[in-house]
Every structure is written in C-alpha cells, then in structure tokens.
Amino acid sequence: MDQETITLLRTLCSKVKEIANLCDSFLEQEAKKQKKTVALSKIETPLPNRLIPLTKWPEFHHWPTVPALRYYALMRHRNGFERVLRRVGKRLLIDEKSFFEWVEGQKRHSPK
C-alpha cells in the first residue's frame, strides 16, 4: 500500500469515529427526551379510583396529615369534603380521585 492510500484510510477512520461519537450523543439526547416524556405521561395518567382508610393515608401520600384529614372530615358539611368520604361501618375511607378533585376545587374557590 502506498502512503497516499494509508493517509486516506486514516482520515476515513477518524471521520467514522467522529460520526460514531455524534450518533452516540444524539441517541443519548433522544433517550433523555423519551425518559422525560415517560415521566410526564406517568404524571398525567389518571389515578385509580381507590378507597384509602383515613388512618392509612400517609402510606400513600405525604400530604395532608391525618389530623388535617380528620378536621376536613369534621367540617365536611361546610367545606364539601363529604364528596370525598365513604363510610363503611365505623371506618372512614377517602376516595383518592375525589380527594384530588376536591383539592383542585378548593384552589379555584380560594380568595386571592
């Protein structure tokens, strides 16, 4: 092989490496975008309509506290919280989906 052919092959190899690096970085960026999209879609997925015992609420959500929930339940006829509560015997259950709808309704009706 002559010197000119060797130089040409080295140049081609270096260009192939550059293209491979560009492809890798492009694929990484696309993967990050896809992860963000998946994360957003998880946020937007509707909550299942599950009933959570009032005392077990902290096992599923950090807010509100059990005493706050008891207060909302006590004042349910004034604040509309009766839409959220289900009573089974002595047990108070919170309809999770209704709770977050109620919270959104509180935001809309709060004084500015």
Side-chain angles (χ1 to χ4, degrees), residues 52-56 86-94:
I52 301 172
L54 188 139
T55 56
K56 303 287 185 190
R86 306 289 181 270
R87 183 177 289 275
V88 178
K90 291 183 178 182
R91 226 168 174 177
L92 284 178
L93 304 174
I94 297 175

Side-chain angles (χ1 to χ4, degrees), residues 42-110:
K42 284 182 182 176
I43 292 170
E44 295 170 359
T45 55
L47 290 172
N49 195 13
R50 62 182 169 184
L51 298 173
I52 301 172
L54 188 139
T55 56
K56 303 287 185 190
W57 184 262
E59 294 175 19
F60 298 91
H61 302 284
H62 297 292
W63 176 86
T65 62
V66 172
L69 287 170
R70 286 187 175 131
Y71 177 77
Y72 298 148
L74 182 65
M75 300 303 212
R76 66 184 172 270
H77 301 296
R78 291 185 187 173
N79 59 19
F81 202 69
E82 66 247 352
R83 291 180 286 147
V84 175
L85 288 177
R86 306 289 181 270
R87 183 177 289 275
V88 178
K90 291 183 178 182
R91 226 168 174 177
L92 284 178
L93 304 174
I94 297 175
D95 184 326
E96 185 178 32
K97 184 177 178 183
S98 297
F99 173 79
F100 289 108
E101 289 171 358
W102 176 78
V103 169
E104 287 300 316
Q106 297 300 308
K107 287 181 185 177
R108 284 191 289 271
H109 295 100
S110 65

